[in-house]
């Protein structure tokens, strides 16, 4: 929920009982959460860690990194350093994603329970819920106020709020902010699992990733794997935007056909020109998206990614104009710390915008193509990679549209090009 009168619409995949979504306009309070089996005492942290590993739970923040591997590393480093810290990352900088703030506003106890379980596994006594959305912060604070100190097994949890920004949710930015600095990324190594909050090894995990832990504690890895594919197990939250429709937050089994999602969302395949994947991070996919299934392995093969699960369906908009808007967004939102990033995103945004306006030359497009390759991996964080993904996928996936803009005949853009500060931003709908 947002405020008192706006909501995000949610829906689960028919026949797949939701594990994370909940059908109620009221935030779940502690009594309702306990009724579902929440805050169950953890008898044996090792058993739960094994279940997490057997479940193959992958991070839902964007990189799909196995949670079990990270938990083991933080636990090992924390023992050597005399303690670890856990952070639930709910900053959700991707403009087209709403899943983390939905969870924190509507099911804050599910997230806190997951954070408690992760803290117990790594031996942390300190945890943070890291956010920028005021309602998400209020949701987490209200849930913390309902809890007795013994419920969290002696783990002290507080909410840490930062101003919103695309880079603010990057893991080193989160650690830097909690340490009192700006929410901007730092050079790696060290990574947070080595040296993080107050110098301690720190688990930074996405809110949705952690929200899967109570299910695993209660039902185990075999039940977890009854949904999803062998390499992308379980369900995931997908914010679906675009196609001239209000965004909907779905809980879907990994491996669902994209066309099945379209049918659920009420969009005909014929209308689809492509998608913007992973929020903005994974860039554009053309109509080949219609042949994909929604799992990490298939998306990687298609040259794309699920990322944080946010999918924007492009129907009427020109992909060149969409890419220009997203690159301009990255030009505004990068942290301005790395020369290759702030110069590179500005240059890519300028060429993409000129192309949209049918004012670019073939040499400009060649330069854009070269930048999309050589700038990859050159920033302290992966924002520059996101920008190169957008530029590279525009050129690779939509060559005909690019050629049309070079010869000055995109009728659509000539009639008034798509321009948005935050294309397909997922804002709430009025109830
Ligand atoms: C530029 C940038 C922004 C990011 N923003 C977020 C974010 O808002 N929320 C998030 O959970 N992860 C974000 N990440 C990923 C985090 O760095 C980190 O990998 C993640 O929080 C780990 O959680 P997970 O393993 O559960 O996915 C971002 C990464 C980059 C490069
Ligand atoms: S790569 Fe870009 S966004 Fe990331 S730290 Fe450097 S300047 Fe900031």
């Amino acid at each position: 929920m947002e405020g008192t009168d706006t909501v995000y619409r949610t829906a689960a995949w028919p026949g797949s009982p939701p594990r994370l979504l909940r059908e109620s306009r009221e935030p779940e309070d502690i009594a309702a959460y306990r009724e579902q089996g929440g805050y169950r005492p953890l008898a044996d942290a090792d058993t739960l860690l094994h279940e997490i590993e057997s479940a193959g739970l992958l991070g839902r923040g964007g990189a799909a990194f196995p949670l079990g591997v990270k938990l083991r590393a933080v636990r090992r480093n924390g023992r050597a350093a005399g303690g670890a810290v856990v952070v639930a990352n709910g900053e959700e900088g991707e403009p087209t994603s709403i899943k983390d703030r939905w969870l924190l506003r509507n099911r804050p106890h599910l997230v806190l329970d997951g954070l408690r379980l992760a803290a117990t596994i790594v031996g942390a006594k300190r945890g943070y819920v890291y956010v920028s959305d005021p309602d998400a912060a209020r949701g987490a604070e209200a849930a913390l106020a309902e809890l007795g100190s013994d419920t969290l097994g002696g783990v002290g949890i507080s909410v840490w709020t930062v101003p919103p920004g695309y880079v603010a949710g990057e893991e080193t930015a989160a650690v830097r902010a909690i340490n009192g600095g700006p929410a901007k990324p730092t050079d790696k190594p060290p990574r947070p699992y080595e040296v993080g909050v107050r110098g301690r090894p720190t688990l930074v995990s996405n809110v949705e990733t952690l929200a899967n832990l109570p299910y695993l504690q209660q039902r185990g890895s075999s039940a977890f794997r009854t949904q999803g594919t062998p390499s992308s197990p379980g369900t995931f939250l997908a914010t679906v935007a675009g196609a001239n429709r209000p965004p909907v937050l779905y809980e879907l089994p990994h491996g669902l056909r994209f066309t099945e999602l379209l049918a659920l969302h009420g969009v005909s395949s014929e209308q689809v020109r492509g998608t913007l994947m992973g929020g903005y991070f994974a860039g554009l996919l053309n109509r080949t998206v219609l042949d994909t299934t929604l799992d990490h392995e298939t998306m990687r093969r298609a040259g794309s990614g699920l990322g944080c699960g946010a999918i924007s369906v492009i129907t009427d908009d020109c992909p060149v104009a969409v890419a220009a808007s997203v690159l301009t967004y990255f030009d505004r939102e990068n942290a301005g710390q790395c020369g290759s990033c702030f110069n590179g995103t500005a240059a890519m945004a300028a060429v993409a915008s000129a192309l949209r306006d049918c004012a670019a030359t073939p040499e400009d497009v060649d330069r854009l193509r070269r930048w999309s390759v050589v700038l990859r991996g050159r920033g302290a964080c992966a924002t520059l990679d996101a920008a190169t993904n957008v530029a590279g996928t525009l050129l690779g996936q939509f060559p005909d549209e690019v050629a049309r803009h070079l010869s000055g005949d995109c009728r659509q853009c000539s009639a008034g090009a798509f321009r948005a500060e935050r294309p397909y931003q997922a804002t709430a709908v009025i109830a």
Side-chain angles (χ1 to χ4, degrees):
M1 287 183 66
E2 185 182 53
T4 51
D5 60 351
T6 55
V7 292
Y8 294 120
R9 288 178 50 222
T10 60
W13 179 245
S16 166
R19 300 171 182 182
L20 304 173
L21 292 183
R22 176 174 174 267
E23 260 185 53
S24 170
R25 291 251 168 110
E26 293 305 314
E28 186 178 41
D29 65 15
I30 191 162
Y33 183 62
R34 280 195 198 282
E35 242 168 68
Q36 304 297 314
Y39 292 123
R40 191 175 287 188
L42 180 60
D44 180 4
D46 273 339
T47 304
L48 180 58
L49 180 52
H50 280 126
E51 286 303 305
I52 293 167
E53 289 171 328
S54 307
L57 174 59
L58 302 176
R60 308 294 201 239
F65 191 80
L67 178 64
V69 173
K70 210 151 66 168
L71 286 167
R72 277 205 188 274
V74 174
R75 182 162 82 164
R76 186 183 57 243
N77 295 339
R79 279 177 181 160
V85 175
V86 289
V87 176
N89 189 352
E91 200 282 327
E92 200 163 40
E94 283 286 359
T96 63
S97 182
I98 55 173
K99 69 191 179 85
D100 297 330
R101 77 197 74 164
W102 187 91
L103 283 169
L104 286 166
R105 290 172 186 185
N106 295 282
R107 301 206 67 192
H109 287 292
L110 184 66
V111 178
L112 292 177
D113 198 5
L115 190 58
R116 162 194 78 108
L117 294 170
T120 310
I121 290 171
V122 301
K125 291 283 167 226
R126 192 88 203 99
Y128 295 89
V129 180
Y130 177 75
V131 289
S132 54
D133 173 65
D135 286 335
R138 272 193 286 279
E141 297 276 14
L144 282 170
E146 283 187 287
L147 284 166
S149 54
D150 53 336
T151 309
L152 290 172
V155 184
I157 295 182
S158 41
V159 177
W160 198 276
T161 307
V162 292
Y166 190 81
V167 299
E170 196 270 348
E171 58 180 4
T172 61
V175 165
R176 190 176 179 185
I178 294 170
N179 281 338
K184 293 183 174 189
T186 54
D187 281 330
K188 296 172 271 289
R191 288 190 172 271
Y193 75 86
E194 298 163 318
V195 180
V197 174
R198 315 275 175 258
R200 302 227 152 157
T202 299
L203 179 88
V204 181
S205 276
N206 176 257
V207 154
E208 181 191 348
T209 314
L210 294 167
N212 277 286
L213 296 190
Y215 181 94
L216 272 166
Q217 184 196 15
Q218 291 159 32
R219 308 283 296 275
S221 55
S222 304
F224 187 83
R225 281 186 172 275
T226 56
Q227 299 287 341
T229 69
S231 303
S232 300
T235 62
F236 72 105
L237 294 178
T239 316
V240 180
N244 302 313
R245 289 173 173 272
V248 179
L249 178 64
Y250 294 105
E251 182 170 351
L252 306 173
H254 279 112
L256 188 77
R257 284 203 296 276
F258 178 73
T259 47
E260 294 177 285
L261 172 60
L262 278 186
L264 182 65
H265 200 56
V267 177
S268 128
S269 298
E270 280 82 64
Q271 289 176 268
V272 174
R273 291 184 86 167
T275 48
L276 191 54
M277 295 298 297
Y280 297 159
F281 194 91
L284 296 160
L285 251 182
N286 59 22
R287 277 179 60 81
T288 56
V289 69
L290 297 171
D291 302 322
T292 62
T293 52
L294 298 169
D295 49 74
H296 297 291
E297 53 278 22
T298 303
M299 281 299 148
R300 261 194 298 271
R301 275 199 302 276
S304 188
L306 275 187
C308 64
I311 301 169
S312 303
V313 183
I314 302 172
T315 51
D316 303 336
D317 304 323
C318 171
V320 174
V322 171
S325 285
V326 175
L327 285 166
T328 304
Y329 168 85
F330 283 133
D331 180 30
R332 282 195 312 272
E333 283 283 321
N334 74 74
Q337 301 189 125
C338 315
S340 51
C341 180
F342 68 80
N343 292 325
T345 48
M348 289 191 282
V351 170
S353 302
L355 190 62
R356 173 200 57 210
D357 300 337
C358 297
T361 63
E363 291 73 31
D364 291 332
V365 171
D366 285 345
R367 268 198 294 277
L368 186 60
R369 198 182 308 280
R370 202 176 61 248
W371 291 329
S372 75
V373 176
V374 300
L375 291 176
R376 198 169 288 274
R378 296 271 294 274
C381 79
T383 300
L384 183 53
D385 297 348
T388 60
N389 287 342
V390 174
T393 53
L394 169 66
L395 301 176
Q397 300 271 324
F398 292 97
D400 295 345
E401 283 80 353
V402 170
R404 258 204 300 281
H405 282 76
L406 278 174
S407 55
D409 67 353
C410 177
R411 254 177 272 148
Q412 208 179 352
C413 288
S414 327
F418 170 91
R419 286 167 206 268
E421 282 213 344
R422 293 160 177 257
Y424 312 118
Q425 178 169 28
T427 47
V429 293
I430 305 295

